[in-house]
Amino acid sequence: MPRAILCILDSFGIGGAPDAADYGDEGANTLGHIAANYQISLPNLDALGLGAAARLSTGEVPRGLSEVPQGGRFGVGREVSKGKDTPSGHWEIAGVPVPFDWGYFPQTEPTFPPDLIAHLIERSGIPGILGDRHASGTTITAELGEESIRTGKPICYTSIDSVFQIAAHETHFGLERLYHLCETAFELTAPLRIGRVIARPFVGENASNFKRTGNRRDFAIPPPEPTLLDRANTAGRQVYALGKISDIYAGHGVTHKMKATGNMALFDRTLEAMEMAADGAFIMVNFVDFDQEYGHRRDIPGYAQALETFDARIPELISRLRPDDLVIFTADHGNDPSWRGSDHTREQVPILAFSPTLGPGTIGIRPTFADIGESIARWLGLAPGKHGKSFL
């Protein structure tokens, strides 16, 4: 029975979204601008059709890539959900476009409603909060981390996405205490349609060595209807959720949850999951470092080098595919490291599908990310969902 592996390169957009101007992102192009500023080499992704997909998306082939794929199916995914955040992209990839508008916090300072913070303080017993503004997580942790340790006040911040984030020291504040605090915040923000509350634990003793850990936890609003994960689970299939995947779907449909810190550790866990997965299994992994470590930090060389490191390991994964296995490489949104600000960018994404039994060709520009989920459903022999159409 066929298996499917879905690899999401978090934030790896390829430009060209027709509604990018509505989000202030007209001209954003994560891959294109990385390639324009760094002599990038991605021979394996390119052989699967990355350069050809980029040309399909924007009309141009990024420097260092070609437009002649050597195997598999290639194409472009276009998001229909409103937003450019993680839940929207992931839910739609799994066959469920977001049918409502997310709630967002204003770009004012302070940012959060006073009654929300007052209730959070009262219910959790914390002495107060720090931050209360839009910020980059690493920047605000470096700025306020020492004060947080000294006062016992967690750092609360947000971004242009529908998110409430809380950073606190793993030992001085306490990891479990941070999780409980985020659970309380999630209850308080849910009526505002805030998509996620994220626990951002860090370690270190001063601004020079603060580092966020792999114990991040997302408390997320569940999808409004069954996703591909639920459908596979209901059919009795194994569903492996690697990285932050389980959190994004509020644990729904997941049978095996696997965590790791860093892209390469996640790649290792993906290979482990492939060794363990039974016939008919679905493996889904999010490679978060592209977004978290390089996109948001506007680090072009770091993003490029992370892509090259990832690309070099693709042959390992392909060599472990069974004859009827399918692997798809895609993304959930963009995060152009050359763009203004530090937030996601509204872009189209590559869809690169490969199987030893799948002939080469183009799948064109897909009108919704949901086509990815429906293609996997068809490959696995699952009943079709309500949104999207298979390209396989």
Side-chain angles (χ1 to χ4, degrees):
M1 186 182 295
R3 305 182 305 173
I5 302 98
L6 176 57
C7 297
I8 297 176
L9 283 65
D10 199 317
S11 85
F12 189 41
I14 54 174
D19 58 356
D22 296 341
Y23 298 83
D25 294 330
E26 186 174 18
N29 186 338
T30 299
L31 171 61
H33 289 151
I34 290 172
N37 289 279
Y38 184 97
Q39 189 63 51
I40 199 164
S41 176
L42 304 173
N44 296 300
L45 286 169
D46 198 24
L48 293 172
L50 180 59
R55 183 176 184 115
L56 194 59
S57 181
T58 66
E60 298 180 356
V61 179
R63 186 179 66 160
L65 300 180
S66 71
E67 58 179 310
V68 184
Q70 300 174 24
R73 305 281 175 89
F74 71 90
V76 174
R78 178 176 292 171
E79 187 172 7
V80 298
S81 299
K82 296 179 180 178
K84 51 182 180 178
D85 48 30
T86 294
S88 297
H90 281 74
W91 292 3
E92 190 169 327
I93 286 171
V96 181
V98 177
F100 53 79
D101 291 323
W102 294 105
Y104 299 92
F105 293 113
Q107 296 196 41
T108 58
E109 194 174 325
T111 291
F112 304 119
D115 59 337
L116 169 65
I117 299 304
H119 287 135
L120 181 63
I121 292 172
E122 179 183 3
R123 288 183 54 179
S124 62
I126 56 175
I129 70 165
L130 302 174
D132 202 348
R133 63 178 185 263
H134 284 247
S136 162
T138 52
T139 300
I140 200 169
T141 299
E143 177 186 345
L144 298 176
E146 292 179 24
E147 184 178 355
S148 177
I149 292 173
R150 184 177 66 253
T151 63
K153 298 178 181 180
I155 305 165
C156 299
Y157 62 101
T158 186
S159 70
I160 200 169
D161 297 324
S162 182
V163 65
F164 186 99
Q165 305 197 62
I166 306 179
H169 198 279
E170 278 202 358
T171 54
H172 293 294
F173 188 87
L175 186 58
E176 290 303 321
R177 186 182 176 204
L178 174 59
Y179 291 158
H180 289 312
L181 176 62
C182 288
E183 287 179 328
T184 301
F186 180 69
E187 294 174 9
L188 295 171
T189 58
L192 304 177
R193 286 190 181 271
I194 301 302
R196 290 177 295 161
V197 173
I198 305 178
R200 292 286 196 176
F202 64 91
V203 294
E205 296 303 318
N206 55 62
S208 67
N209 60 20
F210 286 143
K211 182 176 179 58
R212 295 198 295 199
T213 76
N215 290 319
R216 161 185 172 157
R217 182 177 296 179
D218 294 37
F219 299 82
I221 293 176
E225 61 185 81
T227 68
L228 173 63
L229 287 73
D230 296 298
R231 289 153 55 195
N233 186 316
T234 300
R237 309 298 181 82
Q238 293 177 337
V239 179
Y240 286 81
L242 281 65
K244 65 179 184 177
I245 292 296
S246 183
D247 290 342
I248 294 169
Y249 297 95
H252 290 206
V254 174
T255 64
H256 296 71
K257 178 180 177 180
M258 302 173 69
K259 288 284 191 176
T261 300
N263 279 353
M264 292 303 96
L266 284 163
F267 207 106
D268 290 339
R269 300 310 299 273
T270 303
L271 300 181
E272 291 174 21
M274 291 174 66
E275 290 298 317
M276 296 185 293
D279 289 349
F282 174 44
I283 300 169
M284 188 174 187
V285 55
N286 174 287
F287 293 93
V288 68
D289 279 4
F290 297 116
D291 184 57
Q292 175 177 280
E293 298 296 325
Y294 309 112
H296 286 302
R297 298 187 187 189
R298 297 302 188 246
D299 181 354
I300 294 175
Y303 204 134
Q305 291 161 18
L307 284 169
E308 291 181 333
T309 301
F310 181 90
D311 184 89
R313 297 199 64 182
I314 288 176
E316 291 181 62
L317 191 154
I318 289 179
S319 70
R320 287 167 168 78
L321 293 175
R322 298 175 185 173
D324 55 357
D325 281 350
L326 171 73
V327 60
I328 294 180
F329 299 96
T330 189
D332 53 341
H333 50 70
N335 200 344
D336 187 338
S338 75
W339 208 243
R340 56 186 173 271
S342 61
D343 292 307
H344 298 157
T345 44
R346 180 77 168 189
E347 299 180 46
Q348 299 183 142
V349 301
I351 302 174
L352 311 176
F354 178 83
S355 172
T357 61
L358 185 66
T362 179
I363 62 172
I365 297 179
R366 310 307 301 186
T368 170
F369 289 0
D371 287 2
I372 300 170
E374 291 312 308
S375 300
I376 292 172
R378 182 173 182 180
W379 191 268
L380 295 177
L382 302 174
K386 297 189 297 184
H387 312 282
K389 295 182 179 178
S390 172
F391 51 72
L392 296 177

